[in-house]
Amino acid sequence: MNKISSIQKLEKDFVLELYNLTGSIKKSWPEISRQNKTVCLLFWEPSTRTKLSFEHAAKKLGFNVIDFSPSNSSLEKGESFEDTIKTILALKVDGLIVRHPETKISEKIVQMLPENVFFINAGDGNYAHPTQGLLDVFTMSEVVDLTKLNLTILGDAKHSRVIPSLLQTLDMLGCKNINYISPESLALPQTNAFTAISNDMLSKSDILYILRIQRERFSKEEGIDDKFFSENYQVNKEFIETTNFQGKIMHPGPINIGVEITRDISDGEDSLILKQVENGLYLRAALLQLLSSG
Ligand code: CP
C-alpha cells in the first residue's frame, strides 16, 4: 500500500504500525536533527541576493532549508504573525532568517524565540539589514584599511535599512571618515549631507557607496522625482570625470540603471557590486556556521 486518498482506504494494522513508528521517530528526533540542522527562510518582501545567498550557503553547509512563502501560507486564512512563528517553531527548526517590511519586527521575533533557536534579520523596515552591512564592510576591508577609509555615501540614506547596519559596523571597526551626498529630502537625519556634488570630497574618496531611492519605504510627503534625482545625482561617466573620483564603486543592490547609476559605471572595472554579492555568500555561510554551532 503506497497511496492514501482517505482513511477509509487504510487497514487498521497499517494505522497501528504508523503510530508505532511515529512514537519511535518522536523519541529519536533530537538525534535525527543533530545530523542536519534546519533553517527556515521567511521573506515577506522580495529579495534576490539575500535570500539566494542564504539558501545557497545553508545548503553548502549541509543545512536543510525550508522556504516559507507568506502569500501561500495560512496567513492568507487569517492566522496571525505570532501564531505563524509558533507553528514554525513547533516544527523543530533550528533557525529562522526573516525579512519583513515592519521596522524593528526583528526585536519582537527575538523575544519569541527559545534560547536554542538562532535568528538572522534579513532586513526589517528601515531598522536594520545586518548581513548586508557586514558583507559590505568586509568588501571594503579587502581594498582599503578601514581605519584610513575615506567613504562617500550617495543617495537615499534616509530610507535605507543597510545604512544603520553599515555605519554601526564601520564605527565598530574604526572608520570615522564618512561623507554624505543626497537631496535634502533623502538625507539621513543628524548628518551634514551635501546637497550638491562636491568635487573636492569625491576626489579624495576611496569608495563611493551608492543607494537607490527606496520608494517602498516612503511616506507620500517625501516624494522625489526620478528625473530630478538622475539629473543631479546620477553616477555616470561625466560625474566620474568632473569629480575626478578615482576610487571603487559600491552599491548594496538592487541597482536601478539610469536612475542612480549608469550601466558603464555599474559594470566598470572599478565596480565592486558583484564582489559584494559574492562576499555575501561567504559572509552568510560564516554567520550560519557560527550561530548554529551552539
Ligand atoms: N541588498 C539586498 O538586500 O538585496 P536583495 O533585496 O536582492 O536581497
Side-chain angles (χ1 to χ4, degrees):
M1 209 290 295
N2 66 357
K3 293 175 185 60
I4 297 173
S5 56
S6 77
I7 298 294
Q8 289 148 315
K9 306 278 165 56
L10 302 180
E11 301 284 339
K12 182 179 172 186
D13 280 353
F14 178 87
V15 173
L16 293 178
E17 187 188 348
L18 174 71
Y19 282 177
N20 202 17
L21 186 56
T22 304
S24 307
I25 289 179
K26 185 173 181 178
K27 271 199 207 104
S28 57
W29 193 260
E31 185 53 40
I32 294 169
S33 305
R34 254 194 295 281
Q35 291 157 16
N36 284 93
K37 296 212 172 183
T38 300
V39 64
C40 185
L41 304 176
L42 302 93
F43 278 60
W44 267 262
E45 281 184 358
S47 166
T48 300
R49 63 220 83 213
T50 310
K51 189 172 179 199
L52 289 183
S53 60
F54 265 125
E55 184 172 353
H56 189 29
K59 286 179 176 170
K60 281 280 181 199
L61 293 176
F63 283 80
N64 295 314
V65 179
I66 302 176
D67 186 359
F68 171 81
S69 165
S71 61
N72 282 323
S73 76
S74 289
L75 283 160
E76 293 294 309
K77 294 182 262 179
E79 191 153 57
S80 71
F81 178 83
E82 286 74 12
D83 287 323
T84 300
I85 299 291
K86 283 183 196 166
T87 301
I88 289 167
L89 291 175
L91 291 171
K92 298 289 172 199
V93 300
D94 299 288
L96 303 182
I97 299 172
V98 180
R99 170 169 289 189
H100 198 281
E102 186 179 319
T103 295
K104 282 199 174 182
I105 201 164
S106 56
E107 302 292 358
K108 284 190 210 161
I109 299 169
V110 166
Q111 299 302 319
M112 295 169 67
L113 301 183
E115 183 65 31
N116 63 336
V117 172
F118 70 84
F119 169 76
I120 303 174
N121 178 6
D124 61 339
N126 64 0
Y127 178 56
H129 191 348
T131 56
Q132 186 71 46
L134 287 165
L135 77 90
D136 286 343
V137 174
F138 176 84
T139 305
M140 291 173 189
S141 76
E142 289 188 313
V143 291
V144 192
D145 174 348
L146 293 174
T147 60
K148 298 191 181 117
L149 169 64
N150 185 328
L151 175 68
T152 297
I153 297 173
L154 179 147
D156 183 6
K158 182 176 177 181
H159 302 99
S160 170
R161 56 180 159 217
V162 179
I163 288 300
S165 299
L166 185 86
L167 295 179
Q168 287 151 15
T169 311
L170 286 169
D171 185 56
M172 187 187 295
L173 299 179
C175 172
K176 307 287 177 202
N177 197 355
I178 305 169
N179 302 296
Y180 303 86
I181 300 174
S182 78
E184 207 172 327
S185 64
L186 302 182
L188 195 65
Q190 277 115 39
T191 53
N192 288 323
F194 284 71
T195 53
I197 307 303
S198 162
N199 296 351
D200 184 47
M201 179 207 296
L202 281 156
S203 64
K204 293 180 194 142
S205 287
D206 302 302
I207 293 174
L208 176 58
Y209 188 93
I210 305 166
L211 295 162
R212 73 183 168 93
I213 303 171
Q214 286 138 105
R215 292 197 185 283
E216 69 274 29
R217 293 194 279 280
F218 269 29
S219 64
K220 284 196 179 80
E221 315 74 78
E222 291 175 298
I224 184 147
D225 184 25
D226 274 3
K227 189 163 175 287
F228 169 81
F229 188 85
S230 59
E231 281 173 4
N232 292 282
Y233 298 93
Q234 184 184 78
V235 180
N236 51 32
K237 194 162 178 275
E238 188 190 341
F239 176 109
I240 299 292
E241 285 170 3
T242 310
T243 60
N244 196 27
F245 174 70
Q246 295 181 353
K248 300 291 183 192
I249 297 287
M250 292 182 67
H251 191 312
I255 54 177
N256 288 158
I257 293 294
V259 184
E260 73 273 11
I261 192 168
T262 51
R263 171 66 64 204
D264 52 341
I265 303 300
S266 74
D267 289 1
E269 59 182 21
D270 290 321
S271 170
L272 300 178
I273 294 172
L274 291 179
K275 183 61 70 186
Q276 291 170 258
V277 177
E278 181 186 344
N279 283 340
L281 177 67
Y282 309 140
L283 182 122
R284 290 179 174 121
L287 192 60
L288 281 169
Q289 194 164 307
L290 287 174
L291 296 189
S292 65
S293 63

